[in-house]
Amino acid sequence: MTPAMPRLKRRIVPSALSASFAYLARDVKLIESAGAQSVQIDVMDGHFVPNITVGPVVIQSLRKETAIFLDTHLMIENPLDFIAAFAKAGSNLLTAHWEACSDPLVVIREIKKLGVKAGMAIRPKTPADVLFPLLKELDYALVMTVEPGFGGQAFMPEMLDKVRILRQRIDEARLSCELQVDGGINRQTAGLAAQAGATSLVAGSAVFGAPDPVLAFRDLQKLVDLPAVGQVQ
Ligand code: DX5
């Protein structure tokens, strides 16, 4: 009889896109005090997505203020040109978009050579199977559950099939790749994504857009926590 799959830890990852960029370190430290193990910094270049946010200099400043795991989501063209700068600035995870990579495997290997975790993201219209050959080298596979570029959008439930397919693929190959979702994660959708197999759930407006981000984070994390072994789910 094949041993049961290890129980998956599930984590809510607050996205700083909905935090105050005038007080970014304050907001990141607030959510760290709430128990968040990582925070996602959304990097947008105005070309890959129709929005512009931050670059390595912001990661560098944040790194001086906090030791939190900086999950850096690169929604940019030509990610290969920028991974060294983000790694030097202090990113702990660099997630590039499959659609922006001429050779995704080269990008993954270059990120890992820099001692940084490597992730690969797919937009809603990109099929899950483009990630299959990459999973064994990936630390994170990110299924976008909104069109990348803006926070506060509605969750796309039709993306859950991609999550299920990747969950099955990762489990069958007994890989350690985290399965992340990003976009429209809130009290109504977090459970759906977790049930589909996500182990990392990025939430921006549901956390930093809430009146009390600490409470909002803790409530969301409780929603996706696995019951203690022996407890009924
Ligand atoms: C989209 C961004 C957002 C953000 C989360 O490009 O990546 O998904 O992180 O935003 P919410 O949680 O507000 O949808």
Side-chain angles (χ1 to χ4, degrees):
M1 184 175 84
T2 44
M5 281 304 300
R7 298 172 67 77
L8 302 170
K9 182 109 191 76
R10 297 180 189 138
R11 293 195 191 288
I12 297 291
V13 179
S15 159
L17 189 63
S18 301
S20 160
F21 276 73
Y23 297 98
L24 197 51
R26 177 203 71 185
D27 285 2
V28 169
K29 287 196 273 192
L30 176 73
I31 215 68
E32 189 175 14
S33 71
Q37 309 280 308
S38 61
V39 67
Q40 186 173 85
I41 308 295
D42 286 306
V43 177
M44 301 181 191
D45 65 358
H47 296 281
F48 184 73
V49 290
N51 196 358
I52 297 176
T53 57
V54 299
V57 66
V58 171
I59 298 287
Q60 192 178 3
S61 299
L62 276 178
R63 191 72 293 158
K64 293 184 189 132
E65 300 291 328
T66 168
I68 199 169
F69 186 91
L70 292 176
D71 169 335
T72 310
H73 180 189
L74 301 175
M75 288 165 272
I76 62 174
E77 297 292 353
N78 310 314
L80 207 50
D81 298 344
F82 299 94
I83 56 175
F86 278 102
K88 185 161 178 263
S91 292
N92 301 102
L93 161 64
L94 287 170
T95 297
H97 265 265
W98 181 85
E99 302 89 355
C101 299
S102 49
D103 187 334
L105 214 42
V106 166
V107 175
I108 294 166
R109 288 173 178 164
E110 284 306 307
I111 293 170
K112 294 173 86 166
K113 258 191 231 161
L114 295 162
V116 176
K117 297 268 185 214
M120 192 59 60
I122 48 175
R123 304 180 85 130
K125 59 179 176 304
T126 303
D129 58 11
V130 304
L131 294 182
F132 288 178
L134 309 173
L135 291 173
K136 60 185 176 307
E137 304 213 20
L138 277 174
D139 298 298
Y140 280 73
L142 168 50
V143 174
M144 290 303 294
T145 43
V146 295
E147 195 55 43
F150 297 90
Q153 301 178 78
F155 179 79
M156 297 169 70
E158 62 274 31
M159 294 298 115
L160 290 175
D161 281 345
K162 286 203 261 185
V163 178
R164 292 187 194 97
I165 291 165
L166 286 164
R167 175 78 275 139
Q168 186 184 1
R169 197 82 187 192
I170 291 167
D171 289 351
E172 277 170 359
R174 306 189 76 74
L175 298 174
S176 58
C177 179
E178 291 282 352
L179 184 47
Q180 189 174 68
V181 290
D182 177 3
I185 297 297
N186 55 37
R187 294 185 58 78
Q188 288 70 42
T189 59
L192 298 173
Q195 288 301 326
T199 54
S200 175
L201 300 91
V202 176
S205 42
V207 174
F208 285 113
D212 181 341
V214 170
L215 203 57
F217 167 76
R218 285 178 175 159
D219 281 354
L220 272 180
Q221 182 59 55
K222 240 184 262 139
L223 263 181
V224 301
D225 270 345
L226 280 169
V229 175
Q231 251 187 355
V232 176
Q233 178 135 8

